[in-house]
Each structure stands twice: as C-alpha cells, then as structure tokens.
Amino acid sequence: MLIKLLIVLFLILLITIGILMLTHLDRPFFMFSQSNLPFVQKTMKITAYLLLLTSLMGIIILIWAPLSWNLLTLVLGSVITGAFALLISHAS
C-alpha cells in the first residue's frame, strides 16, 4: 500500500511539472526568457507533453497492471526530467 501511495505522489509530481512547464511557455522559466530562446520553449513544450503522457500511462498501469510495471513509469519520468535538465544546461 505504501508503494502505491509513493507512486501516486510521483505521478502528481510529474503532472505538476508538466502543467508548470506548459503554463510558463511565454513567461520566464528559471533564468531563461523564452522569447529570446525558442529552443528552450520548444524543449519545455515537448518535455511537458512527455511528462503528462508518462503520468497518464502511470495512472493506467496503477489501475490495471501489476504494481511492478510501474517501474516503467518511474524510469521514464526520471529519464525525461533528466534529459530536460541536460538540454537546458547546454542551452545556457
């Protein structure tokens, strides 16, 4: 039961990050101004949609699949977020 609760918290975190990225497309995000860096804006949009898709997949897995399948959600969400961090660090 604790594992399911932690996975739900992770999914909420992914959804929150995805929505935050989508709502900050035309506002400054950290130290970047998206109007000056179209690469950052495009990267944020792609990452946000991938995180939302991953969280939707995680919710479906949580409801219908065995609990061990949620490892896919955890790894995919972490890889997407890590890739975004690496891409943004190279943009500065």
Side-chain angles (χ1 to χ4, degrees):
M1 186 63 179
L2 178 65
I3 300 283
K4 281 191 176 188
L5 178 66
L6 292 173
I7 290 172
V8 167
L9 289 175
F10 184 75
L11 293 173
I12 290 171
L13 181 67
L14 288 181
I15 292 169
T16 304
I17 292 172
I19 291 172
L20 178 81
M21 286 183 174
L22 286 176
T23 58
H24 282 76
L25 284 175
D26 53 353
R27 290 188 256 163
F29 185 75
F30 292 121
M31 61 187 159
F32 301 104
S33 174
Q34 281 74 14
S35 60
N36 298 338
L37 294 173
F39 172 75
V40 173
Q41 187 176 19
K42 184 177 178 182
T43 305
M44 283 177 60
K45 189 182 289 188
I46 291 170
T47 303
Y49 286 129
L50 287 174
L51 288 176
L52 292 174
L53 184 67
T54 301
S55 60
L56 179 65
M57 181 184 69
I59 291 169
I60 291 170
I61 288 174
L62 190 63
I63 293 172
W64 285 299
L67 190 61
S68 61
W69 283 33
N70 257 311
L71 181 62
L72 177 65
T73 304
L74 297 172
V75 169
L76 196 57
S78 300
V79 167
I80 292 169
T81 308
F84 172 74
L86 288 174
L87 287 171
I88 290 299
S89 69
H90 287 283
S92 64

